[in-house]
Amino acid sequence: MINAGGLTLLLGEAYRETFVTGTASAAGGKHIEEIGRVTPIDHAASRPAVAEALAVDRLIRLTETIDCPLYFVHISTPEVVDATKATRAKGMKIWLETCPQYLYLTE
């Protein structure tokens, strides 16, 4: 597994050479299938909002210094939207996408 510093260097080098946009999913940890929990409520419980917000914040902080654009997929929390707005206000190129079920379904 690559550490945070290594990731930053690798992403910075890739961006300088190819102008690639860093793409990331903030859903971390074990997949629910691996732990034998596969119901819709298990999906929600396996991805707490704080984990998504922390993952996005960490990657934003790591890439701020290399000026690499970021694109996050499957975002589901208002906290991440707020953090993205603040980051864009500072001039960083950052985009988000979500999924329809995150907009309409609740626990």
Side-chain angles (χ1 to χ4, degrees), residues 38-82:
V38 295
T39 68
I41 198 68
D42 292 332
H43 184 277
S46 71
R47 290 159 175 80
V50 67
E52 181 176 281
L54 288 170
V56 169
D57 182 66
R58 183 171 188 226
L59 194 51
I60 287 171
R61 290 175 186 273
L62 288 171
T63 56
E64 280 178 326
T65 59
I66 57 172
D67 194 33
C68 178
L70 287 175
Y71 184 85
F72 287 99
V73 299
H74 305 166
I75 295 302
S76 63
T77 62
E79 295 84 2
V80 171
V81 174
D82 293 341

Side-chain angles (χ1 to χ4, degrees), residues 10-11 13-23 67-70:
L10 184 65
L11 193 55
E13 183 177 314
Y15 179 65
R16 283 189 296 280
E17 291 180 11
T18 64
F19 301 105
V20 68
T21 296
T23 303
D67 194 33
C68 178
L70 287 175

